[in-house]
Amino acid sequence: MLDFPDNRLLIELCGEFDRNLADIEQKLAVQILRRGNHLAVIGDAFQTEAASKILHSLYGRLEAGRPVEPGDIDRAYRLDAGLDATGASLTRAPEGQMEMFKSGKIEIRTRKKTVEPRTAAQKAYVQNLFHNELGFGIGPAGTGKTYLAVAVGVNMFIEGHVDRIILSRPAVEAGEKLGYLPGDMKDKVDPYMQPLYDALNDFLPGKQLAKLIEEKRIEIAPLAFMRGRTLANAFVVLDEAQNATAMQMKMFLTRLGEGSRMVITGDRSQVDLPRGVTSGLADAERLLKTIPSISFNYFTADDVVRHPLVAAIIKAYDADAPQG
């Protein structure tokens, strides 16, 4: 029997029409009964313990004056109960990592929202982005690599640790020729940059974002535009780095200036470079992995925080990929 003394918070915990309880019941194959200010969880011992951890975590969030949203419930499954979004058990991290994960909540505060890592891999990634001047995030789509990097960049910008944010992507043609798209070069390139604009819009009010872009305190530019620059006192993100060539990657990495931080994100399974051209992401990983002050964080399908089907799709493709 779980005790929740504040009836108002208990109502919020249960959700509208008890939808939060229903979600936990369905995913964990348990039954949750409400008796006054108490909840009783009935089912298999492992599943009832997991459900109890999730409920206590969400209630603690409400006690701290913070709302419970779908992303927070997903986070409780993954970090507090060691389950994925479907209720299946996740592979346990090594003991050293588990101690690091228990070291306290990590929050990334921005102008519009507070972002929290939702998986153990995301938490380790964010910790490394705050602690290292150069970090890599490598893994499949939907794992939050770029979103979290941009959130950390916005946090460091508004806290005054950097003077500007620079976000970049290789404008690689993936089946469609840039030359056939309408408009000038900016019109042709902007669709490739749109995911970066989307992330920024999540963290900064529209008018403030527009002003910062106009003042060039926030820049979003194709990778080719980085040549010849020295990026000092900036938070720099290179997204879709698997589509940078080895020479482009070397060029980009050597832009790192005094007081700057750099994050490289990419998915090794989605290379759009011509056949025979070496991916700069794979090349940098091979060459830089032994340098202590450079962090490498890896994500798997278990870290996908989009629709659960996305994780299943990635696992199906991974299983079908040639081995070796």
Side-chain angles (χ1 to χ4, degrees):
M1 187 76 71
L2 308 177
D3 180 37
F4 299 98
D6 189 321
N7 192 56
R8 180 182 59 83
L9 296 184
L10 178 57
I11 291 171
E12 290 186 54
L13 173 65
C14 296
E16 188 177 15
F17 303 117
D18 287 347
R19 65 183 178 190
N20 294 345
L21 300 186
D23 181 70
I24 295 170
E25 286 180 321
Q26 180 182 4
K27 288 178 179 172
L28 298 185
V30 298
Q31 184 180 10
I32 303 175
L33 304 176
R34 183 175 172 184
R35 298 169 181 166
N37 280 15
H38 305 279
L39 294 178
V41 184
I42 302 169
D44 171 83
F46 174 81
Q47 304 295 74
T48 56
E49 182 183 358
S52 299
K53 288 178 180 177
I54 292 166
L55 290 166
H56 278 303
S57 173
L58 297 176
Y59 186 79
R61 184 179 183 87
L62 291 167
E63 283 186 311
R66 298 157 65 193
V68 168
E69 298 174 351
D72 304 315
I73 299 172
D74 181 51
R75 182 180 180 279
Y77 274 112
R78 296 171 187 264
L79 285 182
D80 297 312
L83 307 171
D84 67 15
T86 67
S89 179
L90 291 170
T91 302
R92 300 287 289 181
E95 195 59 37
Q97 283 186 303
M98 288 306 298
E99 287 306 311
M100 179 173 63
F101 301 150
K102 291 173 184 174
S103 61
K105 291 186 182 296
I106 292 180
E107 297 179 340
I108 311 168
R109 291 185 175 85
T110 69
R111 290 274 189 253
K112 286 178 70 173
K113 66 193 298 186
T114 296
V115 181
E116 294 178 72
R118 286 163 58 177
T119 73
Q122 285 191 353
K123 187 172 182 180
Y125 177 56
V126 170
Q127 285 175 319
N128 278 331
L129 294 191
F130 278 114
H131 293 156
N132 293 285
E133 291 179 320
L134 176 57
F136 285 76
I138 301 172
T143 51
K145 306 180 301 294
T146 305
Y147 191 80
L148 290 170
V150 174
V152 171
V154 170
N155 174 271
M156 297 193 77
F157 176 76
I158 63 180
E159 294 287 334
H161 300 299
V162 294
D163 296 334
R164 54 188 172 147
I165 298 171
I166 300 171
L167 309 179
S168 185
R169 269 185 159 199
V172 173
E173 297 168 349
E176 295 152 312
K177 297 295 184 183
L178 280 170
Y180 296 139
L181 296 174
D184 59 19
M185 182 53 68
K186 184 178 186 303
D187 294 328
K188 294 175 191 289
V189 166
D190 267 359
Y192 289 86
M193 305 294 123
Q194 191 59 48
L196 301 176
Y197 285 105
D198 291 342
L200 285 169
N201 277 312
D202 259 14
F203 306 134
L204 291 166
K207 288 184 179 178
Q208 183 183 12
L209 176 57
K211 186 170 186 284
L212 291 169
I213 291 175
E214 183 181 353
E215 294 172 348
K216 295 200 176 297
R217 297 179 71 191
I218 292 181
E219 294 182 55
I220 302 176
L223 175 58
F225 290 13
M226 295 294 107
R227 188 173 298 279
R229 302 183 64 183
T230 299
L231 307 175
N233 300 310
F235 192 95
V236 191
V237 178
L238 175 60
D239 187 32
E240 298 288 334
Q242 75 276 2
N243 288 327
T245 66
M247 286 303 295
Q248 285 177 323
M249 179 62 77
K250 180 183 177 184
M251 176 274 292
F252 185 80
L253 290 170
T254 53
R255 300 309 93 196
L256 185 64
E258 199 69 36
S260 288
R261 291 184 177 249
M262 189 174 279
V263 185
I264 316 293
T265 67
D267 178 356
R268 289 178 298 197
S269 70
Q270 295 193 14
V271 178
D272 296 317
L273 293 168
R275 186 179 296 274
V277 176
T278 301
S279 167
L281 179 63
D283 201 47
E285 187 181 3
R286 176 179 64 85
L287 292 169
L288 308 179
K289 203 165 184 181
T290 58
I291 300 177
S293 54
I294 299 176
S295 65
F296 284 85
N297 288 89
Y298 296 91
F299 300 86
T300 69
D302 287 331
D303 298 302
V304 170
V305 291
R306 292 180 185 167
H307 193 288
L309 274 177
V310 175
I313 290 166
I314 291 169
K315 287 178 179 178
Y317 274 91
D318 286 347
D320 192 55
Q323 299 300 311

